[in-house]
Amino acid sequence: MNPPPPKQPEDEPPSAQKLREEYEAGATVQELVAASGLPYGTVLNRLREAGTVMRTSWQTRRMRDGQEARARLAARLRILYETHGATLGELAAAAGKSKPAARRLLIEAGGRVRSTRQTIQIRSAASRAKRGKLAAWLRVRYEAGATVPELAEECSYSTATVYRLLRQAHTPMRPQHRHGPARHAHKKQP
């Protein structure tokens, strides 16, 4: 619900134009009556005098639902932005709006827009944490007997990346096996 419009000083009733502006901003006739202290009929007459296009109660509810939906969307975008480190471009995609519109919604919800540098720092910290968890998981699997090529295939990483992650997790490595022909050919005994 919209808060009632501010009350005018008692010696000065609101003008027809002021009533129209408040009505078009979403106030109902009842709210204008309560805020202005004018009779219902007088408020209606002043609205008509100002050329106001009157709404039905259904249109008023729809208009207010739109404002509530906008507030919910803005709150959701703020959570994505602040908690999950989303960028303005990602907010725009999530809301189906442009970047400037997503920025306005974020500010409406009380959010503060970050600099590009701050966003990069948040993203890199999250990436480091994710890689740290992956490295720990790879270490557990490696120490349980899995080979590096098996881990690489399982994670869709190259073997070099798996080795790097295992070193990052301070994994004690097993000696590498030499597959292929022997270095020294054995002589056949006659």
Side-chain angles (χ1 to χ4, degrees):
M1 296 265 301
N2 288 347
K7 198 165 190 159
Q8 297 288 324
E10 295 192 21
D11 58 344
E12 183 184 319
S15 68
Q17 188 59 35
K18 178 72 174 155
L19 288 172
R20 177 183 177 172
E21 288 170 6
E22 292 173 4
Y23 181 79
E24 288 177 349
T28 64
V29 175
Q30 289 291 356
E31 290 170 346
L32 294 175
V33 167
S36 67
L38 294 172
Y40 189 87
T42 304
V43 171
L44 278 178
N45 287 338
R46 288 194 179 174
L47 288 171
R48 289 188 187 114
E49 175 186 310
T52 307
V53 176
M54 302 304 287
R55 300 184 299 263
T56 64
S57 58
W58 175 82
Q59 290 170 322
T60 300
R61 279 193 305 276
R62 184 172 178 200
M63 181 177 164
R64 290 204 172 169
D65 286 343
Q67 290 171 346
E68 290 171 9
R70 181 179 175 91
R72 283 192 305 272
L73 175 63
R76 191 176 112 234
L77 292 180
R78 182 177 179 188
I79 290 169
L80 286 173
Y81 191 73
E82 292 177 351
T83 306
H84 302 290
T87 63
L88 287 175
E90 292 167 342
L91 293 182
K97 309 247 182 224
S98 65
K99 278 186 186 180
R103 185 178 192 276
R104 280 191 301 274
L105 285 167
L106 176 65
I107 291 169
E108 282 176 24
R112 289 188 58 204
V113 179
R114 296 185 300 262
S115 68
T116 304
R117 182 177 181 187
Q118 291 169 322
T119 300
I120 291 170
Q121 287 172 341
I122 289 170
R123 289 268 173 115
S124 63
S127 178
R128 278 192 306 274
K130 184 178 176 183
R131 286 180 76 85
K133 285 181 183 177
L134 176 62
W137 179 81
L138 287 171
R139 178 179 178 164
V140 168
R141 295 272 295 123
Y142 182 78
E143 289 176 346
T147 65
V148 172
E150 290 170 350
L151 294 172
E153 186 177 328
E154 193 173 323
C155 296
S156 299
Y157 284 120
S158 69
T159 55
T161 301
V162 171
Y163 274 116
R164 191 169 39 256
L165 288 169
L166 288 170
R167 276 194 300 276
Q168 178 184 330
H170 306 291
T171 308
M173 302 301 288
R174 295 188 295 261
Q176 292 183 350
H177 297 287
R178 298 276 181 204
H179 299 289
R183 291 187 177 239
H184 304 288
H186 295 286
K187 294 184 181 177
K188 291 184 182 181
Q189 298 287 335

